[in-house]
Structures are given as structure tokens and as C-alpha cells.
């Protein structure tokens, strides 16, 4: 019995909808084994030997199962962009991730440590996962977040200037804001959204801001607290200074609910000055828990081109439905929640564990991780029944917790995989009837709780 191609039924049905991307049966088998290995928990890194469950080290890397997955990643003929497209089309049919007018496009970056002078896209740069400058790879993502779920639409790796013959002057070089603009342009006509949400790296970038204003794309972005402009002597000349000069009557309280259910009181104020205010292209909304001191870590200086009211005829404002200062604050509040959860999901699905150097192999691994991530939402939609309806209604204002979805999948996927592997390592005979029935049950997606509730 070959345990390399034993795949649980829900995962097999999911992969069947992606099979048209792959031209050979061996590629389709490798797809199932790869995604199954990414989804289960393991004490080893999710490299080819870890996904194939072969012996660690040189001996395991030479095993046919590991060699098959490494070939699938590095030398095979399938196109990762085609897999991305097939996955996105499938997500349109899932209730929680279907196109929605109130969705947001979240611009997110992933920076992870990676070494090697011959590895594509590697360079010394700021890595978000480490909070410092180090050698690594940064990818720019555009996420689609609805009221019920979120998932990656597209991603592009950022290639540092030293990889190009003419450095930053090379026509092929793209900055992170340029990559983000290309990603938005690729998806905005097919996926409706309320606004683009991004942090201060993009909010202070002239190219990215000009692109959004020129294309009339609604956005909510932040500015750094040090952001300032030319001003007359005696007038506020920066976002923080202007917020400190706001009158007490300008501040309005609201309650912000976090993903874990905690609630916290925040204050918001809409200010006018510099490039923001009535008759100008931008609006500025400051959100903080303490209006008196404006703590640096928790105060957000937001800019948006959303109209405040229907009668607003300020230049460059978008013609979408108007948004109050409260809605602007809540739109941006969706970004930190998604950014944190998305980072955790990628870590558990082996985003950084790929042992590859080429651009093609890296992009294939990333596309497979995104496919494994989207399987969680697809399976949740397929298995959603009357017993779960109240749970989803209660949490409709927040995406499902990544840990909950992944844990629910592993309740049936891990027993299926590990019991099969243990039995086939012991004997080639058919399991006894009780064990056979249990394997069939978990293989169909029925959970097997391992802890008392």
C-alpha cells in the first residue's frame, strides 16, 4: 500500500477543482500530498522531507517521496499564476469569501529571514516578522476581507535593486508601492470593495497616493506621526501637532471590538489643515485611546478620499457612498486584525519553510500555501450546517478565527494521516473492521476530538 497518495476525501474534492491547472496525474497526486502536508501539524519544518514524512537528513531527502515533491516544486511544468487564478475563481463560490460591496482590500507585506547569495529576491531589508533589518524576502499581498472571512487574492515578491543590472534605475525594478498598485489594478475590476486599506508606508508614498487619487479608488491609509507640510509660522504644520490643537468638542468616543471579543474605548476627531479638509482632496481622521497625550503606539492618523456627505464636491473625492468619521475609523481597524491573523496562518502552514532558490519554485510554494489557506474557508463553507449557523451569526462582524478553522480541520485530517501511516508501517494487510470504519469516518471529514471538552 503506497501511503504517499492517501488523501482525505474533503481535500481530494477541493483539489479536484484545481486539477485543470496540472497536465499530468503525477502532478495532481503531488498537489494533494503537498497540501495535506501543509495542513497537518508537525514538529518538523514543512520542507519536502517533512511533507513527505521521510527520514530527516540526507537519507530522507533521497527517498522517492521527497524527491517527487521536490521535483513538483522545482522542475515540474505547472504555472503558479494559473493555480492562483483557479483558487481565486473557486473562492467566488464560497459564501464567506464571495464578492461583497462592503469588503476591503488590505495591502499587507510579509518579510521573512532568508539567506543565500543565489536565492531569488533575497536582500537586506526591513522584515516585519523580525521587526528589524536583516537578510530576507519580502512579498506584497492584497487580501480580500469580507464580514465573514479573508483570503489572499494576489501577491508579488519584492526584488531588491541589487538584483538588477542598473540597480533602482532598471526599467524592471519595482518598489513596494508600485507592486501594490499593480496588484490593485489586477483585481479591482473583478472584486468590489468599499476601500483600499494600507499602512503609513503607502500613505506617505507620493506615487501610490497619486495612483489612487487619479484612478478614483477609495482608500483609508495612515500617516506617520512625524508627517508634516509647509505652513505659516504659528500654524500647526504636522498631523500630530494638529491633533494636539484640536478642541475638546472635536473628539467623539466610540467602542472598538477586537477579534478576541475584547472591547476598548477610543476617540476620533476629524481635522482640517494642510492637505486635508473641506475643498481639498483628503480628509484626516485621528483615532486614539487618549486624546490628551496621543500615545505613539496606539494613535492612528488616517487619511481618506471618501466623501463625508452627498453634497461634498471637493476635488478628487470618490463618488462612492459617503462615509462618516466613525466608518473611516472602523474601516482601518479591519487591517491590523487581518494582518495579525494572516501572519499566524502563514507560519502554521509553512510559508517560510520552502527549501528553494529559484523564483519559480518560491512562487509555486507560496501559491500552494495560499491554496491550503483557502481550503479552510472552502471546507468551512461545505461543512456549514444548522448547528453552526448561530456561531457564524454571532461572529459575523469578524472573520472566523484562523486557529479555530485550522484546529477543526486537523481534528479529522491528522488522525486520518497518522493512523494510516502507522498501520502501513506495521503491515500491508487490511486494517481490522473497527479501525477500517474509523479511518473511513475521519477520511470523510468527521472530526475526532482528542481532548475532553
Amino acid at each position: 500500500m503506497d501511503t504517499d497518495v492517501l488523501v482525505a476525501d474533503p481535500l481530494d474534492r477541493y483539489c479536484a477543482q484545481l486539477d485543470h491547472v496540472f497536465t499530468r496525474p503525477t502532478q495532481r497526486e503531488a498537489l494533494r500530498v503537498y497540501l495535506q502536508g501543509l495542513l497537518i501539524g508537525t514538529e518538523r519544518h514543512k520542507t519536502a522531507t517533512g511533507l513527505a514524512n521521510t527520514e530527516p537528513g540526507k537519507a530522507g531527502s533521497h527517498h522517492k517521496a521527497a524527491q517527487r515533491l521536490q521535483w513538483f516544486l522545482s522542475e515540474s511544468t505547472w504555472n503558479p499564476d494559473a493555480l492562483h487564478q483557479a483558487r481565486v475563481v473557486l473562492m467566488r463560490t464560497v459564501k464567506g469569501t464571495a464578492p461583497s460591496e462592503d469588503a476591503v482590500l488590505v495591502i499587507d507585506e510579509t518579510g521573512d529571514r532568508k539567506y543565500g547569495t543565489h536565492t531569488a529576491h533575497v536582500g537586506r531589508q526591513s522584515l516585519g516578522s523580525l521587526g528589524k533589518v536583516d537578510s530576507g524576502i519580502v512579498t506584497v499581498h492584497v487580501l480580500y476581507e469580507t464580514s465573514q472571512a479573508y483570503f489572499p487574492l494576489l501577491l508579488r515578491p519584492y526584488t531588491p535593486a541589487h538584483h538588477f543590472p542598473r540597480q533602482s534605475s532598471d526599467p524592471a525594478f519595482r518598489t513596494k508601492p508600485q507592486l501594490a498598485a499593480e496588484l490593485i489594478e489586477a483585481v479591482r475590476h473583478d472584486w468590489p470593495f468599499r476601500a483600499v486599506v494600507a499602512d503609513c508606508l503607502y500613505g506617505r508614498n507620493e506615487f501610490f497616493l497619486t495612483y489612487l487619487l487619479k484612478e478614483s479608488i477609495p482608500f483609508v491609509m495612515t500617516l506617520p506621526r512625524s508627517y508634516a507640510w509647509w505652513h505659516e509660522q504659528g500654524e500647526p504644520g504636522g498631523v500630530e501637532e494638529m491633533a494636539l490643537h484640536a478642541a475638546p468638542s472635536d473628539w467623539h468616543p466610540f467602542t472598538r471590538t477586537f477579534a478576541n471579543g475584547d472591547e476598548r474605548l477610543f476617540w476620533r476627531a476629524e481635522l482640517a489643515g494642510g492637505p486635508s479638509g473641506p475643498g481639498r482632496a483628503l480628509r484626516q481622521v485621528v483615532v486614539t485611546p487618549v486624546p490628551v497625550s496621543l500615545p505613539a503606539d496606539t494613535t492612528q492618523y488616517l487619511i481618506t478620499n471618501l466623501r463625508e456627505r452627498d453634497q461634498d464636491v471637493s476635488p478628487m473625492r470618490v463618488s462612492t457612498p459617503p462615509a462618516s468619521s466613525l466608518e473611516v475609523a472602523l474601516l482601518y481597524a479591519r487591517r491590523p486584525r487581518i494582518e495579525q491573523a494572516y501572519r499566524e496562518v502563514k507560519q502554521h502552514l509553512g510559508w517560510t519553510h520552502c527549501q528553494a532558490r529559484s523564483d519559480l519554485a518560491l512562487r509555486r510554494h507560496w501559491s500552494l500555501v495560499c491554496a491550503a489557506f483557502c481550503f479552510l474557508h472552502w471546507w468551512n463553507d461545505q461543512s456549514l450546517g444548522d448547528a453552526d449557523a448561530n456561531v457564524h451569526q454571532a461572529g459575523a462582524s469578524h472573520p472566523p478565527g484562523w486557529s479555530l478553522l485550522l484546529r477543526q480541520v486537523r481534528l479529522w485530517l491528522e488522525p486520518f494521516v497518522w493512523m494510516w501511516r502507522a498501520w502501513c508501517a506495521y503491515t500491508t494487510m487490511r486494517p481490522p473492521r473497527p479501525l477500517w470504519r474509523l479511518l473511513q469516518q475521519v477520511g470523510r471529514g468527521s472530526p475526532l476530538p482528542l481532548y475532553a471538552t
Side-chain angles (χ1 to χ4, degrees), residues 299-315:
T299 299
Q300 298 166 343
Y301 303 93
L302 309 179
I303 56 171
T304 181
N305 60 345
L306 291 166
R307 296 183 298 169
E308 185 177 5
R309 56 183 64 88
D310 289 327
Q311 295 77 19
D312 189 351
V313 292
S314 301

Side-chain angles (χ1 to χ4, degrees), residues 17 37 73 99 105 148 163 171 228 281 441:
Q17 300 178 76
L73 195 66
L105 292 182
Q148 297 182 355
H163 286 269
Q441 180 181 353

